[in-house]
Amino acid sequence: MKGYEEPTTTFIEILTIIIFTLFIFGSLITMTRFKTEVKNANERRIAIDFGENVISASCLTDSKGVLNETKLNQELQYSKSAEKDSEEKDGLSCITTDFLAKIMIFVKDGGGEKNFEFGKADNPGSRFRFPAILKKEDGTTVPCVVTVEVEIPK
């Protein structure tokens, strides 16, 4: 055939080396990423479990996912009085943890924003958000977001 040129053996060898090198680098990058994700999975799982416990805790809610503003205000008083206690890691009276945890509840109402914060986690390893409802003291309900941060000691 006219105009068709056979690839040389040198060209084929160079192409094979390039493809093999890309395969090796891709495999190494994939393995590194997999190790990182496995390492962080434990903290994410703990954050999810802890968040589920928070949105169903009897000291904060009437039922699962329905927070009560009166109970939240009582827990804020408990959290402020327990700040100096080194045993208290999450700032809640009805939940006990072995790790530092911070719970933030963001409420956006027609009249403005109100936030509740419990516990302390200076270097959180994982953060998770949960949708919920806040039953206000006057009986109305407004949507809110519960954010949980956990810090697992290494």
Side-chain angles (χ1 to χ4, degrees):
M1 287 201 288
K2 206 172 193 183
Y4 179 73
E5 191 174 315
E6 289 283 325
T8 63
T9 56
T10 308
F11 176 74
I12 292 174
E13 288 175 3
I14 291 173
L15 194 59
T16 305
I17 290 171
I18 290 172
I19 291 173
F20 183 71
T21 305
L22 289 175
F23 174 75
I24 296 296
F25 280 129
S27 298
L28 290 174
I29 290 171
T30 302
M31 291 301 289
T32 305
R33 200 171 115 224
F34 177 73
K35 285 181 184 178
T36 304
E37 288 179 9
V38 168
K39 183 178 178 183
N40 292 337
N42 188 34
E43 285 185 353
R44 279 189 293 216
R45 186 170 44 251
I46 289 172
I48 292 169
D49 288 344
F50 182 67
E52 288 287 332
N53 287 327
V54 167
I55 62 172
S56 62
S58 62
C59 61
L60 300 175
T61 64
D62 292 334
S63 63
K64 184 173 181 176
V66 181
L67 301 168
N68 186 318
E69 187 175 28
T70 306
K71 291 181 179 182
L72 287 173
N73 288 328
Q74 291 171 353
E75 283 301 310
L76 275 177
Q77 296 302 319
Y78 171 82
S79 181
K80 287 178 185 174
S81 66
E83 270 183 9
K84 294 174 180 62
D85 185 9
S86 63
E87 296 293 317
E88 184 62 48
K89 297 187 185 271
D90 58 16
L92 299 176
S93 63
C94 60
I95 298 176
T96 304
T97 62
D98 293 337
F99 52 86
L100 291 175
K102 184 175 186 179
I103 301 110
M104 297 170 288
I105 301 170
F106 302 104
V107 181
K108 191 166 186 177
D109 192 6
E113 291 184 10
K114 187 169 185 177
N115 300 327
F116 299 92
E117 280 192 27
F118 306 97
K120 56 186 177 278
D122 299 325
N123 300 313
S126 196
R127 175 185 292 173
F128 219 81
R129 290 183 176 87
F130 298 87
I133 296 174
L134 175 70
K135 183 177 178 186
K136 297 179 73 173
E137 291 175 341
D138 63 3
T140 60
T141 58
V142 292
C144 64
V145 175
V146 178
T147 303
V148 173
E149 295 178 348
V150 298
E151 180 180 343
I152 309 297
K154 307 256 184 224

